[in-house]
Amino acid sequence: MWSSARARSLVADGDAGGLIRMGREARGWRQPDLGRRLGYSASTVSRLEQRGARGDLALVRAAAYAVGVPAPLLVASLGLSALPATTVGRDRCVEEDPVRRRTLLTAAGLAGPASLLAGLDTALASTPDPTGSPVPLDQRLAVARGHFDHGRHSALLAALPGLLADTHHAARTCQEMPLARLSATYTLTAQVLAKVGRYSQARLTADRAAVYAEWSGSPLAAAAAARELAIVLRHQDQAAAAERHILDAVSKVAATGLATDAQASAYTQMLATQSYTAARAGDRDQALAMMRDATRAARRLPHQAPPGRLFPITPAQVDLYAVGMHWALGDAGAALEAGRDLHEQQFPTPERKARMHTDLARAYLLHNRPEQTAAELLAALRVSPAEVRERPAIRQVVTELGQRHRRTTGVRELVTAVGVPA
């Protein structure tokens, strides 16, 4: 059936709704039958079959799965163009008007890359034409990840529109590797957008990463996308939805049997992320249980992750997650104890080194030790300035230090370097 002339015609016409209708009729279902399986009315199914991809992408995917539309056909019918984000709860971050956006960007220390962010917004709204670059995509993606790891956010933002254009173009083959690469590119895009506080755009890109990861069939790409989506949902105060995504990713990675080191790393990463997510949701028992599991899983990991690993987590990074988990639970003493033996040499990239310092800084501030807080933030500023200057949560810590502990050693230097009100 799916190789018939009718199916080929529907794909050529970009008619995803027609493919869903074709699958429903082949099963002998009426529209109310499919509606009951999806939890929607018959009229919603009717509109879906008429409008296809112009409707809710989450519903398109669910309906296509229910009636057996092969993933490559659905991908081809949708054209793999810039897709609308699927709905995961209500988005609490409303879009600002352009004037307000420029004001917020300046306040967040992002006036420099504001034009780059605008260019990325345009690329997300409508995928650019391929660049024709002769450089292999995997090499370009590795360079882009390097920009993120070294806190070079402007360079990354400048590179992403062209990288998105070319990974989209390559993914038109509907093969696993190009689709997984496209998902990884969207995951990286979500990471940098979340890092600089652009949560609405990060939500959209993480959602697209999840779509393409699912179509690729790669459980590791799906885990990376689910992790990033959970992080964005946490920032949007949707901890329960974030927990669901991570727990689903944990179960899918576990289902691989963890036969390879890459799968074991992914599993450990998901457990650590879930521990911190549960802590942010106030679920102490879940947070502690997941951290115990992550610590056990980390015992089989090397102390330095091999180059190019999708989840380069190490035992030291699990300990750093424990710092953040205890901080989120409000236990400063436990957080500082968890980080007692951590040092920069355990972390391979400037981004991770600086993250160690900023996480310890938050724990010290919670423990009412402003001098140590300032010292950690100055160390982070030395290693990767963007981690302090461009992360909204850390800028807030510097602001609080400037307002409450202006005379403390190092605070004036911090406030000046970061450019926050004091």
Side-chain angles (χ1 to χ4, degrees), residues 32-381:
D33 299 327
L34 177 56
R36 280 193 296 272
R37 286 170 171 80
L38 299 174
Y40 287 88
S41 66
S43 60
T44 297
V45 173
S46 176
R47 288 194 297 271
L48 172 68
E49 293 180 350
Q50 293 172 10
R51 296 170 59 198
R54 292 190 297 276
D56 183 346
L57 180 58
L59 181 55
V60 172
R61 291 165 57 203
Y65 179 81
V67 301
V69 177
L73 290 190
L74 183 62
V75 170
S77 71
L78 293 171
L80 280 180
S81 57
L83 300 175
T86 58
T87 301
V88 188
R90 181 178 176 82
D91 189 345
R92 300 189 184 187
C93 293
V94 296
E95 288 294 313
E96 304 94 5
D97 62 68
V99 173
R100 174 171 169 76
R101 180 182 296 173
R102 285 194 297 271
T103 301
L104 292 177
L105 288 171
T106 303
L110 293 174
S115 62
L116 298 174
L117 284 163
L120 181 55
D121 279 350
T122 300
L124 292 172
S126 179
T127 306
D129 293 331
T131 67
S133 171
V135 181
L137 284 172
D138 285 337
Q139 182 178 335
R140 290 168 60 193
L141 185 55
V143 170
R145 285 198 181 107
H147 289 325
F148 179 85
D149 289 340
H150 287 78
R152 298 191 292 260
H153 296 160
S154 292
L156 177 54
L157 291 168
L160 281 172
L163 187 56
L164 285 167
D166 292 343
T167 51
H168 262 289
H169 183 72
R172 289 180 180 273
T173 63
C174 300
Q175 296 177 342
E176 176 181 349
M177 184 56 70
L179 286 168
R181 187 189 295 116
L182 178 58
S183 174
T185 304
Y186 270 117
T187 296
L188 182 60
T189 304
Q191 283 182 293
V192 69
L193 287 170
K195 182 77 76 174
V196 301
R198 295 292 292 272
Y199 302 126
S200 292
Q201 289 84 349
R203 164 87 166 267
L204 181 148
T205 52
D207 192 42
R208 290 182 187 172
V211 170
Y212 293 119
E214 179 180 332
W215 285 339
S216 78
S218 167
L220 298 189
R227 174 176 177 264
E228 203 54 42
L229 182 55
I231 290 170
V232 175
L233 290 169
R234 280 202 318 251
H235 283 298
Q236 294 183 315
D237 297 325
Q238 298 184 53
E243 283 196 88
R244 288 195 299 272
H245 277 278
I246 289 294
L247 286 173
D248 182 59
V250 168
S251 64
K252 289 179 179 177
V253 174
T256 66
L258 309 183
T260 68
D261 290 342
Q263 291 167 351
S265 295
Y267 183 65
T268 305
Q269 178 71 75
M270 294 300 103
L271 291 172
T273 301
Q274 173 57 12
S275 174
Y276 182 69
T277 300
R280 292 300 300 267
D283 190 344
R284 182 181 184 83
D285 291 342
Q286 173 84 325
L288 294 172
M290 285 290 180
M291 184 51 63
R292 285 193 294 269
D293 289 346
T295 301
R296 282 195 294 269
R299 291 173 186 161
R300 66 175 283 188
L301 301 181
H303 291 285
Q304 294 293 335
R309 177 157 290 177
L310 184 59
F311 295 96
I313 193 166
T314 63
Q317 292 196 40
V318 172
D319 289 341
L320 183 56
Y321 268 97
V323 173
M325 183 231 7
H326 287 297
W327 168 81
L329 291 174
D331 191 340
L336 293 172
E337 177 62 24
R340 180 167 55 89
D341 296 326
L342 295 179
H343 53 84
E344 281 189 15
Q345 288 69 31
Q346 294 170 306
F347 300 94
T349 68
E351 188 268 344
R352 286 291 95 184
K353 295 177 192 291
R355 186 59 181 256
M356 179 198 74
H357 289 301
T358 58
D359 280 6
L360 289 172
R362 294 197 299 183
Y364 277 123
L365 186 62
L366 182 63
H367 208 260
N368 197 28
R369 295 164 68 177
E371 188 167 340
Q372 290 89 340
T373 303
E376 292 290 349
L377 291 175
L378 286 170
L381 193 65

